[in-house]
Amino acid sequence: QLQLVESGGGLVQPGGSLRLSCAPSGFTLDDYAIGWFRQAPGKEREGVSCITKSGGFTDYAESVKGRFTISRDNAKNVVYLQMNSLKPEDTGVYYCAAGWVAGLNADYVHWGQGTQVTVSS
């Protein structure tokens, strides 16, 4: 079964940082573009960031530009989302997904179960 596993979530104070990781089970990530999404309670899921297979192109939601950085290490088969200057509105469940095209609104074929990020004092 092909699946993704997210890790690195947790509770952090406003202004703090977290690094999320996304690793596959049953396949290699270098065949796929990767997206990070989040869903806050009572809100729709939104695209946060994405990266192409090669890592040569990245995109970010306006709300996280300048604070979040997506990267990938194909040799280690992992994608990261470095989140700095976290705000309470960044709270939510974060998911990574693998697909054929990188885009905040693209269709992705494999999804993880999510990791909770809570930003609170």
Side-chain angles (χ1 to χ4, degrees):
Q1 184 178 358
L2 305 181
Q3 60 182 1
L4 295 164
V5 179
E6 302 94 339
S7 60
L11 173 64
V12 63
Q13 293 186 341
S17 298
L18 285 174
R19 189 178 77 163
L20 305 184
S21 298
C22 172
S25 175
F27 63 104
T28 57
L29 284 182
D30 56 4
D31 290 333
Y32 295 89
I34 302 297
W36 281 99
F37 297 80
R38 68 186 180 190
Q39 187 165 21
K43 294 187 177 181
E44 292 188 355
R45 186 175 63 197
E46 63 172 338
V48 174
S49 184
C50 60
I51 188 168
T52 52
K53 289 190 294 185
S54 67
F57 172 80
T58 60
D59 198 12
Y60 298 90
E62 285 296 326
S63 59
V64 306
K65 279 184 179 178
R67 301 188 297 121
F68 290 12
T69 303
I70 190 171
S71 63
R72 66 189 301 157
D73 186 337
N74 286 343
K76 295 183 178 180
N77 210 22
V78 64
V79 172
Y80 302 104
L81 184 68
Q82 178 68 44
M83 306 186 297
N84 298 329
S85 302
L86 283 162
K87 305 175 180 180
E89 51 263 43
D90 294 318
T91 294
V93 179
Y94 283 69
Y95 302 88
C96 66
W100 308 119
V101 178
L104 299 182
N105 297 305
D107 291 327
Y108 290 83
V109 294
H110 304 301
W111 289 82
Q113 295 298 308
T115 185
Q116 177 70 45
V117 172
T118 303
V119 185
S120 175
S121 55

